[in-house]
Amino acid sequence: MTYTRASRRVGQLLGAVAVSALLAPTTLPSTASAETIRAAVRGMPPGEGNPYTGRGIPHVFMWSSMFDYMVEMDAQGNPLPGVAESWKNIDKDTWQFTLRPNVTYTNGEKLNAQAVKATMDWLVKTDPGKASVTGRDMVTVVREVNVISDTVVEIKTVTPNPIAPKRMGAVAITPAKAWADMGPAAFAKAPATAGPYKIVYFKPGEGEVEAYPGSWRKITGNVDRIRYIEIPEPPARVAALQGGQVEIDVQTSIDALDQLRRAGFSVDIGAPPRTIGLSLVTMRKKDAQSKAEPISGPLKDVRVRRALNHAINKDAIVQNIFKGAGAAVGQMATRTSFGFNPDIKPYAYDPALAKKMLGEAGFPNGFELEGRASAGNATFDLLYQSGVQDLQAVGVRVKFQSQPFPEWLKHWLAGDWPYDMFGFGTDLTSTLDASQSFKDYASCLKESPYYCNEAEVPLINAALSEFDQDKRKKLLQDLLKINAENAPIIFLAEGGEPVAYTSKLRNFKQANTVFNWHEMVLQR
């Protein structure tokens, strides 16, 4: 299996980047002056410039402008050339990637096969690397990395992995010497990067990047600086956009979209890469050193979990909260992801049936639950509140609160959940492949799992190692059906991330929450 993409756009980006280009001026359209975009974000990356301390939102908005990744992804989940120009499958456990020549970091180091090996070795062979967010994923993917030449690297996988190129799209490649000499903490403050922008500063609640002319991803627009401003509350971000304090709100509340459109702002809603739901904790650790064990409460009973799904009016959520822009879900895959099973229908809204099932499970008077959700997304907050209200209506008394993202992440990594459910679902942003739901989220394969059904594991392993696309799709669809019946999540909806921005900003595009900052044009 070989992948290589030859297109006019890629052709324009290829070619040697001379070291002297590090000091060259940024090339901008002759008709446009260099501009600064001020972007309102829910939060700054907690790990600042350490790209292995998180993934997805809110980290991706800043990191994707600075770091380079082996593979990029389009909105349909297809892997596209990043630092790797092409790749091919050598055997069931081996992939070979050919890198762009002469890619240079801001500190003068080369982004080459040696840098890829150093990055992967740190992630999968060192204790700090294996403990990082990215490392926890990569230790299940990468077994060994070999340098074939300066521009060719061989990656041997832990098990046969048909989507290894997609998985490489989640790993920022850092400069080997700087990372080793500085260490993660110091590097996070002053990262050397190879993307179209480089760091100017991090400070509490704000960060700024500026154009890096040495990048192979040339700036073809006129945005030479991006200032990320942390504004946690959605109404405050909307007000900042309307008041001209920022040019873009990267996570706009859906209930503000009509108002913003009427006021002349542009709105983009990307294809949804995530399912949103209330994940039910049926496995937990007592402490960081212990093994995850099944819980003894009502959620261990599949009849209860199914009843909770029947209690939710998903269609009302889609119409009233997503304003028709989303869709009800009943499985751990989005409509655009590989493996999605169109035959799985969302659990029907039937409060009477939900009460009946609870009674049959031994809870005729309901029970109490405690839950949390990461704060900052007004749409998701409304969605969770609506779900909780529906649960209350069938006798399930829920104490539900918001919590800071870093606090949620700590429990996600440790598996020591101090509550019964949490707002999440599944996030397929990095692959748009249903297999990721089972590899990373709701299955026994997740390190410190919150849900584990051993009966699903053989089918999961078969799906994860099948290279024939038709067979793999069928395996995933069968697996999604079984999993949906086991109801590890109260499935709610899928919806894209709305982005509102000034009408003076041209050529805005997004794919899986990654923006094309370097191609945008801001007109004053």
Side-chain angles (χ1 to χ4, degrees):
M1 183 186 301
T2 303
Y3 180 93
T4 181
R5 180 182 176 91
S7 68
R8 185 174 65 178
R9 175 179 178 274
V10 173
Q12 290 171 341
L13 296 174
L14 298 180
V17 178
V19 174
S20 61
L22 295 174
L23 302 177
T26 303
T27 301
L28 297 172
S30 59
T31 58
S33 59
E35 296 286 353
T36 297
I37 282 184
R38 296 163 298 176
V41 295
R42 184 179 86 199
M44 294 296 293
E48 296 184 324
N50 179 347
Y52 311 128
T53 55
R55 65 179 176 198
I57 295 169
H59 318 80
V60 66
F61 299 121
M62 191 169 192
W63 287 346
S64 63
S65 68
M66 298 191 300
F67 289 100
D68 264 336
Y69 299 78
M70 294 265 283
V71 173
E72 298 178 2
M73 298 283 292
D74 68 14
Q76 290 71 47
N78 300 308
L80 303 176
V83 169
E85 288 184 316
S86 62
W87 48 89
K88 59 184 177 180
N89 182 223
I90 304 299
D91 58 45
K92 64 184 180 65
D93 298 319
T94 309
W95 287 84
Q96 191 175 95
F97 294 82
T98 299
L99 310 180
R100 298 177 187 275
N102 304 312
V103 177
T104 308
Y105 291 101
T106 52
N107 68 345
E109 289 188 60
K110 295 292 185 181
L111 198 169
N112 52 20
Q114 289 81 4
V116 173
K117 176 175 171 56
T119 291
M120 294 297 179
D121 283 353
W122 185 83
L123 288 170
V124 305
K125 293 184 178 181
T126 71
D127 289 340
K130 289 186 285 187
S132 69
V133 174
T134 307
R136 285 170 180 258
D137 289 343
M138 286 300 107
V139 292
T140 67
V141 178
V142 176
R143 174 168 57 88
E144 182 182 343
V145 179
N146 298 311
V147 173
I148 306 302
S149 70
D150 200 49
T151 58
V152 178
V153 62
E154 178 185 85
I155 294 180
K156 291 189 174 294
T157 56
V158 175
T159 58
N161 195 319
I163 66 165
K166 287 186 176 185
R167 303 294 297 198
M168 294 305 105
V171 183
I173 308 301
T174 47
K177 187 174 187 304
W179 185 263
D181 291 350
M182 299 171 71
F187 185 91
K189 298 292 184 183
T193 57
Y197 297 90
K198 60 182 180 179
I199 191 66
V200 177
Y201 64 81
F202 286 110
K203 66 182 182 181
E206 191 174 306
E208 185 168 304
V209 297
E210 65 179 0
Y212 169 47
S215 173
W216 65 270
R217 286 190 282 165
K218 297 301 181 184
I219 293 178
T220 57
N222 72 334
V223 177
D224 74 333
R225 282 181 180 253
I226 311 166
R227 185 174 304 134
Y228 301 90
I229 303 169
E230 181 176 306
I231 306 177
E233 295 301 322
R237 292 199 297 273
V238 171
L241 180 62
Q242 292 179 308
Q245 285 82 47
V246 298
E247 283 72 42
I248 184 169
D249 173 8
V250 302
Q251 283 182 284
T252 312
S253 175
I254 283 182
D255 60 5
L257 297 185
D258 288 343
Q259 166 195 345
L260 290 169
R261 288 188 181 105
R262 288 194 299 269
F265 291 90
S266 299
V267 171
D268 184 274
I269 303 178
R274 299 188 289 178
T275 66
I276 309 158
L278 293 165
S279 298
L280 302 173
V281 177
T282 55
M283 302 276 292
R284 67 161 56 91
K285 287 183 174 183
K286 293 180 180 178
D287 52 56
Q289 286 70 43
S290 63
K291 181 181 178 182
E293 300 288 347
I295 64 165
S296 58
L299 295 181
K300 72 176 182 179
D301 192 325
V302 68
R303 295 173 297 177
V304 170
R305 301 197 299 271
R306 290 171 182 166
L308 300 184
N309 271 280
H310 280 299
I312 306 297
N313 191 342
K314 302 174 187 63
D315 290 337
I317 286 174
V318 171
Q319 292 304 316
N320 299 330
I321 298 176
F322 281 100
K323 310 298 182 185
V329 295
Q331 60 185 292
M332 296 200 306
T334 61
R335 290 168 293 173
T336 57
S337 61
F338 183 87
F340 174 79
N341 189 335
D343 295 329
I344 300 174
K345 305 305 178 187
Y347 279 83
Y349 174 52
D350 193 334
L353 176 60
K355 289 182 179 180
K356 181 175 181 290
M357 295 174 72
L358 289 174
E360 292 171 348
F363 302 98
N365 299 316
F367 52 87
E368 294 183 353
L369 289 177
E370 187 172 349
R372 297 285 188 277
S374 180
N377 186 312
T379 302
F380 290 4
D381 290 345
L382 289 172
L383 184 150
Y384 297 137
Q385 290 169 18
S386 179
V388 167
Q389 288 172 3
D390 286 346
L391 293 176
Q392 307 273 22
V394 299
V396 179
R397 300 170 295 282
V398 183
K399 181 181 178 182
F400 201 81
Q401 300 176 357
S402 64
Q403 70 178 159
F405 176 78
E407 182 69 18
W408 175 87
L409 182 62
K410 180 182 73 173
H411 295 305
W412 173 262
L413 296 175
D416 58 345
W417 301 101
Y419 34 81
D420 306 297
M421 64 183 182
F422 54 90
F424 180 57
T426 60
D427 185 351
L428 307 182
T429 302
S430 61
T431 65
L432 275 184
D433 194 292
S435 65
Q436 187 178 359
S437 292
F438 300 99
K439 190 76 165 64
D440 296 344
Y441 302 130
S443 86
C444 307
L445 273 63
K446 180 188 179 300
E447 186 178 357
S448 305
Y450 68 85
Y451 164 81
C452 173
N453 187 320
E454 293 288 352
E456 296 178 10
V457 173
L459 199 54
I460 293 173
N461 287 331
L464 292 175
S465 60
E466 179 57 65
F467 279 76
D468 183 284
Q469 291 291 76
D470 291 335
K471 291 180 181 178
R472 193 166 76 86
K473 186 175 184 178
K474 179 64 166 57
L475 285 167
L476 286 172
Q477 290 179 336
D478 291 346
L479 181 56
L480 286 166
K481 185 175 186 299
I482 294 170
N483 179 266
E485 292 170 351
N486 287 327
I489 297 167
I490 301 176
F491 300 105
L492 298 176
E494 66 172 43
E497 290 288 350
V499 179
Y501 52 94
T502 173
S503 59
K504 297 178 181 179
L505 183 62
R506 308 296 187 188
N507 199 33
F508 172 89
K509 297 175 186 175
Q510 64 165 318
N512 301 330
T513 67
V514 174
F515 298 167
N516 64 329
W517 299 110
H518 61 296
E519 296 173 331
M520 297 181 198
V521 174
L522 181 61
Q523 299 175 336
R524 295 294 185 182

